[in-house]
C-alpha cells in the first residue's frame, strides 16, 4: 500500500495538477499575427481579459503569464481567434501542442485582440450553433492544418466578417476570398456534421433528416470530372423546390471552392485516388490545384421522403 | 511443444501461463507501436499485416516441436546480450515518446524511470508476468473505446491516401525484437506442451488483428494529417475525446510509460542469469541498459537489423539448439507424449 501511495504522489507531482487555483485557463485566445504582434485571452476563472504584446505568436504563453502574474494553461482552450495570416501560425501552435487538435479557429480580418478586449467578439457557442444547424461546416484546427498539408494546399477557415460568421479560403499566402452562404451550407451538407439542417423551400420549411451523397472523380476527354450524386432524406411539402435549393448549395460549394480557387475541402484527392486516375498519386499540390480549377463539376441530387 | 533450457539455468525460471506469455509479448509490440512516429495509412496496415503473417508462418512451426530444448551456454549468452540490447531499445523508444509528447519535468522523468527500473528488475519474473496481464487488459479495454468515441469524425475515403506498404513491411520487422525472446520464454509456460502453442497462437492472432485494425482506424480518423510530427497514435487519441470535457491523453501517457517500464523490466530480467542475486543483478543491468539507451538515443538508432536478427534468433534458435545437441552428442531429455 505504501508503494502504491508513493507512486500516486509521484504521478500527481509530475503531471503538474497541483496549482489549479493559481493557474489561468483561457477559453478564448486572440492572436494578432500582423505587426505589432499581440495576444489576449479570456480567463474563465475570474472572467477577465488579459492582453500583452508578444515577439512571436508562439511566445504568447510567456507574454500572457507575465501580464497575468500567473501560469497560463491553454489545455481547455475552445476558440482561437486569429487576425493576419493564420497559415504559418496554426501548424506551429498545433505541433508545439499549445492548442488541442480539435480547437475551433476563427479568422478576424484585423484586430483580434481589440475585438476580444471590447467584448464584441462572437461567443464560442455561436460557432457551435452555426455548425450544429448546418450554416457552417465543422472546421477545427486539425482539419485546417490537414487541408494545408494535404489536398491542394488550400483550406477554409471560419471568419467573423461584417458582424456575421462565414467561411474564408486560406492558403500559405494568407486568407483569400469569402464564400457565399449557399456554399457554406453546401459544405456543411456534404460534411454531414450538423444536427439539424432546415431551410425555406418555396415558402414551406424543409428539414433534412439524413444525407447519402457520394463524391467520385473520373477523367473524360482529358478533363477531370468531379461528380456528387446521391439522395437526401428530407421532410418537405415542396420536394422539387427543396431538390433545386439543395443542388444549388452543393454546386455553389464545389464551384466556389474547387473550381474558383482549387480548394480541396471535400477529400476530392482521396476520391481521385480511389478511382485510380492515372498519375494522381504522384501529383503535387499545385498540380492538383490546377486540375481542380479546370475540372468539370456535376451534381445529381434527389430528395426522398 | 516441449522445449526447455538446461536445468542448471532454470532454477529461478517461473511457470507462466499462456496468457501471461502472450501478454508480455503483445505489450512489447504495443509499446513500440505507441512510440512509432510513422503516419497511419492503409498501405501501412497492409504492409504490417503482410509482415505479421510472414512472421507467424515462420514462428508457428515452433509449436510443433516435440523435443526438449537445451540451449547451450554460448547461445544463452548471445540471447542475454540481445535481451540487454532490446531493453535499451525499449527504453530509448519510451524516452522518445515522452519527448514527442512534451512531457513535463523532462529531467525528472528519466531519473524516476531509472529508479522504477531498479525496483522492478529486482522483483521476480512472475510479478512481471502478472503485471503484463493487468496492463494488457487495461490497454485492450481502453482501445475498445477508440472506435466508439471517434466514430462520427471518421472519413473512410482517407483509406485511399497513398502510402508505402514496403516501408511498413520492413518497419514491422524492425519493431519485432521481442520475437527473439520467444524460444526461451516458452520454456516458462506451464505445462509447456499445453500452453506454449496457445501462447504462440494468441501472439500471432493478437498482432495480426489488433495492430492493423488500429492503423486503419487511425487512417480514417487522422485523415490528411500525415505530416504530423509525433506519435500518430496520440494524435488519434487527441482527436477522439470521449466528450468535449473528457480527454484521455493523460491516461494513455501513463499507460504507455507503464508499458515501456514493463517491457524494459522484462527484457532485462531475460538478460540476467537466473542464479544471480536479484538486487545486485539489477544494480548492474539497469546502469548498463541506461548507458546503451543513451547511446541509442544519441545515434538515433531506429532498430534496423534488430527485427530481422530477432526473427532469425526466435525462429532458428530452437532448431540450432537441437542440431548443436545432436552434433555434440548431448542426450535429449526424456520425451513425453502430448
Amino acid at each position: 500500500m505504501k508503494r502504491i501511495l508513493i507512486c500516486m504522489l509521484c504521478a500527481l507531482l509530475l503531471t503538474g495538477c497541483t496549482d489549479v487555483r493559481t493557474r489561468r485557463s483561457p477559453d478564448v485566445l486572440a492572436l494578432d499575427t500582423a505587426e505589432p504582434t499581440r495576444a489576449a485571452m479570456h480567463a474563465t476563472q475570474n472572467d477577465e481579459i488579459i492582453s500583452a504584446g508578444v515577439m512571436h505568436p508562439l511566445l504568447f504563453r510567456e507574454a500572457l503569464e507575465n501580464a497575468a502574474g500567473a501560469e497560463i494553461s491553454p489545455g481547455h482552450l475552445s476558440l482561437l481567434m486569429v487576425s493576419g495570416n493564420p497559415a504559418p501560425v496554426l501548424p506551429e501552435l498545433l505541433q508545439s501542442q499549445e492548442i488541442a487538435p480539435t480547437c475551433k479557429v476563427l479568422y478576424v480580418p484585423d484586430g483580434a485582440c481589440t475585438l476580444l478586449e471590447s467584448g464584441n467578439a462572437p461567443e464560442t457557442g455561436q460557432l457551435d450553433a452555426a455548425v450544429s444547424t448546418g450554416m457552417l461546416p465543422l472546421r477545427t484546427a486539425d482539419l485546417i492544418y490537414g487541408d494545408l498539408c494535404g489536398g491542394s494546399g488550400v483550406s477554409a477557415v471560419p471568419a467573423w466578417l461584417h458582424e456575421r460568421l462565414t467561411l474564408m479560403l486560406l492558403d500559405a499566402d494568407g486568407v483569400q476570398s469569402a464564400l457565399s452562404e449557399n456554399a457554406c451550407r453546401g459544405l456543411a451538407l456534404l460534411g454531414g456534421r450538423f444536427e439539424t439542417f432546415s431551410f425555406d423551400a418555396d415558402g414551406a420549411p424543409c428539414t433534412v433528416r439524413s444525407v447519402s451523397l457520394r463524391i467520385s472523380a473520373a477523367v473524360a476527354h482529358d478533363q477531370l470530372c468531379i461528380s456528387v450524386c446521391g439522395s437526401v432524406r428530407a421532410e418537405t411539402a415542396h420536394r422539387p423546390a427543396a431538390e433545386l435549393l439543395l443542388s444549388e448549395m452543393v454546386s455553389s460549394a464545389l464551384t466556389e471552392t474547387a473550381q474558383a480557387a482549387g480548394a480541396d475541402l471535400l477529400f476530392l484527392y482521396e476520391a481521385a485516388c480511389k478511382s485510380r486516375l492515372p498519375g494522381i498519386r504522384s501529383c503535387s499540390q499545385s498540380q492538383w490545384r490546377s486540375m481542380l480549377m479546370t475540372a468539370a463539376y456535376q451534381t445529381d441530387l434527389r430528395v426522398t421522403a | 511443444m516441449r522445449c526447455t533450457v538446461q536445468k542448471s539455468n532454470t532454477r529461478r525460471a517461473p511457470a507462466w501461463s499462456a496468457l501471461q506469455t502472450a501478454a508480455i509479448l503483445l505489450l512489447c509490440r504495443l509499446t513500440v507501436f505507441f512510440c512509432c512516429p510513422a503516419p497511419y495509412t492503409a498501405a501501412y496496415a497492409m504492409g504490417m499485416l503482410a509482415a505479421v503473417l510472414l512472421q507467424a508462418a515462420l514462428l508457428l512451426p515452433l509449436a510443433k516441436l516435440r523435443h526438449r530444448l537445451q540451449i547451450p551456454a554460448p547461445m544463452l549468452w548471445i540471447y542475454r546480450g540481445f535481451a540487454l540490447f532490446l531493453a535499451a531499445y525499449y527504453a530509448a523508444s519510451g524516452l522518445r515518446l515522452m519527448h514527442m509528447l512534451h512531457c513535463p519535468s523532462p529531467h525528472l522523468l528519466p531519473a524516476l524511470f531509472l529508479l522504477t527500473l531498479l525496483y522492478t528488475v529486482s522483483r521476480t519474473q512472475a510479478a512481471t508476468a502478472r503485471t503484463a496481464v493487468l496492463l494488457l487488459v487495461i490497454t485492450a479495454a481502453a482501445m475498445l473505446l477508440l472506435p466508439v468515441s471517434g466514430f462520427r469524425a471518421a472519413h473512410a475515403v482517407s483509406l485511399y491516401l497513398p502510402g508505402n506498404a514496403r516501408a511498413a513491411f520492413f518497419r514491422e520487422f524492425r519493431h519485432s525484437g521481442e520475437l527473439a525472446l520467444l524460444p526461451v520464454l516458452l520454456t516458462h509456460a506451464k505445462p509447456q506442451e499445453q500452453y506454449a502453442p496457445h501462447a504462440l497462437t494468441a501472439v500471432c492472432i493478437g498482432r495480426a488483428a489488433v495492430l492493423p485494425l488500429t492503423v486503419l482506424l487511425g487512417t480514417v480518423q487522422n485523415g490528411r494529417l500525415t505530416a504530423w510530427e509525433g506519435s500518430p497514435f496520440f494524435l488519434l487519441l487527441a482527436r477522439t475525446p470521449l466528450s468535449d470535457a473528457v480527454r484521455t491523453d493523460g491516461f494513455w501517457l501513463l499507460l504507455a510509460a507503464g508499458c515501456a517500464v514493463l517491457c524494459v523490466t522484462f527484457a532485462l530480467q531475460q538478460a540476467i542469469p537466473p542464479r544471480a542475486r536479484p538486487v545486485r543483478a539489477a544494480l548492474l543491468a539497469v546502469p548498463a541498459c541506461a548507458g546503451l539507451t543513451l547511446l541509442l538515443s544519441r545515434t538515433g538508432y531506429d532498430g534496423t537489423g534488430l527485427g530481422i536478427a530477432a526473427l532469425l534468433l526466435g525462429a532458428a534458435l530452437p532448431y540450432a539448439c537441437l542440431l548443436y545437441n545432436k552434433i555434440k552428442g548431448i542426450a535429449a531429455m526424456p520425451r513425453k507424449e502430448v
Side-chain angles (χ1 to χ4, degrees), chain A residues 215 266-267 270-272 274, chain B residues 154-161 220:
Chain A
I215 299 175
L266 297 165
F267 292 89
E270 288 78 358
K274 185 183 176 185
Chain B
H155 292 281
V157 77
S158 303
L159 290 173
Y160 296 95
L161 272 171
V220 296

Side-chain angles (χ1 to χ4, degrees), chain A:
Chain A
M1 183 55 83
K2 277 181 190 170
R3 286 171 194 152
I4 293 171
L5 284 174
I6 290 169
C7 286
M8 284 175 71
L9 191 67
C10 287
L12 270 176
L13 287 172
L14 286 171
T15 46
C17 293
T18 50
D19 50 356
V20 183
R21 284 162 202 266
T22 55
R23 200 188 296 171
R24 297 283 186 274
S25 295
D27 60 343
V28 182
L29 174 72
L31 286 176
D32 281 341
T33 59
E35 291 292 331
T37 315
R38 288 180 71 223
M41 62 168 237
H42 174 252
T44 45
Q45 284 98 336
N46 43 4
D47 193 24
E48 64 172 338
I49 304 283
I50 301 158
S51 57
V54 294
M55 297 294 287
H56 187 276
L58 266 186
L59 303 175
F60 76 90
R61 195 205 283 237
E62 287 80 358
L64 289 174
E65 277 177 355
N66 285 331
E71 193 185 343
I72 305 290
S73 169
H76 295 285
L77 190 69
S78 53
L79 180 66
L80 171 72
M81 289 203 302
V82 190
S83 58
N85 184 4
V89 180
L90 262 184
E92 288 183 358
L93 286 172
L94 271 172
Q95 286 290 176
S96 59
Q97 297 182 15
E98 293 289 359
I99 59 170
T102 48
C103 176
K104 293 171 196 78
V105 181
L106 185 70
Y107 169 74
V108 180
D110 45 32
C113 292
T114 315
L115 194 68
L116 186 66
E117 286 162 347
S118 64
N120 295 325
E123 296 286 328
T124 318
Q126 275 181 270
L127 200 55
D128 293 337
V131 172
S132 66
T133 55
M135 298 305 291
L136 286 181
L138 180 73
R139 302 297 300 166
T140 48
D142 52 357
L143 292 174
I144 297 167
Y145 175 50
D147 286 339
L148 288 172
C149 299
S152 62
V154 185
S155 187
V157 60
W160 182 247
L161 210 62
H162 310 305
E163 303 283 309
R164 68 180 191 90
L165 287 168
T166 185
L167 266 188
M168 291 188 88
L169 294 178
L170 167 78
D171 65 9
D173 298 328
V175 175
Q176 308 295 327
S177 54
L179 300 182
S180 68
E181 188 185 331
N182 251 2
C184 293
R185 298 217 79 182
L187 287 172
L189 186 77
L190 289 163
R193 297 294 295 272
F194 54 84
E195 284 170 19
T196 56
F197 194 105
S198 302
F199 59 96
D200 176 45
D202 202 16
C206 174
T207 306
V208 173
R209 292 292 172 212
S210 64
V211 181
S212 172
L213 295 173
R214 199 168 65 88
I215 299 175
S216 57
V219 173
H221 307 294
D222 288 337
Q223 192 191 22
L224 178 69
C225 182
I226 306 275
S227 57
V228 179
C229 54
S231 60
V232 175
R233 200 165 67 81
E235 282 176 15
T236 178
H238 295 281
R239 197 181 296 174
E243 208 165 87
L244 186 69
L245 282 168
L246 285 171
S247 294
E248 273 179 14
M249 286 177 196
V250 172
S251 295
S252 299
L254 287 171
T255 49
E256 288 183 33
T257 58
Q259 198 167 39
D264 179 1
L265 309 175
L266 297 165
F267 292 89
L268 303 177
Y269 178 71
E270 288 78 358
C273 288
K274 185 183 176 185
S275 304
R276 298 184 180 181
L277 300 188
I280 193 72
R281 283 172 180 261
S282 55
C283 173
S284 70
Q285 275 192 332
S286 56
Q287 284 171 327
W288 179 239
R289 193 171 174 177
S290 320
M291 281 171 79
L292 285 175
M293 290 170 89
T294 54
Y297 296 89
Q298 291 174 350
T299 309
D300 180 15
L301 191 146
R302 282 175 294 108
V303 172
T304 57

Side-chain angles (χ1 to χ4, degrees), chain B residues 117-160:
Chain B
L117 277 177
L118 279 173
Y119 171 71
T120 53
V121 173
S122 61
R123 299 293 95 192
T124 60
Q125 291 192 35
T128 310
R130 282 198 300 272
T131 316
V133 174
L134 188 70
L135 273 178
L136 189 72
V137 170
I138 295 171
T139 311
M143 280 180 115
L144 280 176
L145 283 176
L146 279 181
V148 179
S149 58
F151 181 70
R152 282 195 73 194
H155 292 281
V157 77
S158 303
L159 290 173
Y160 296 95

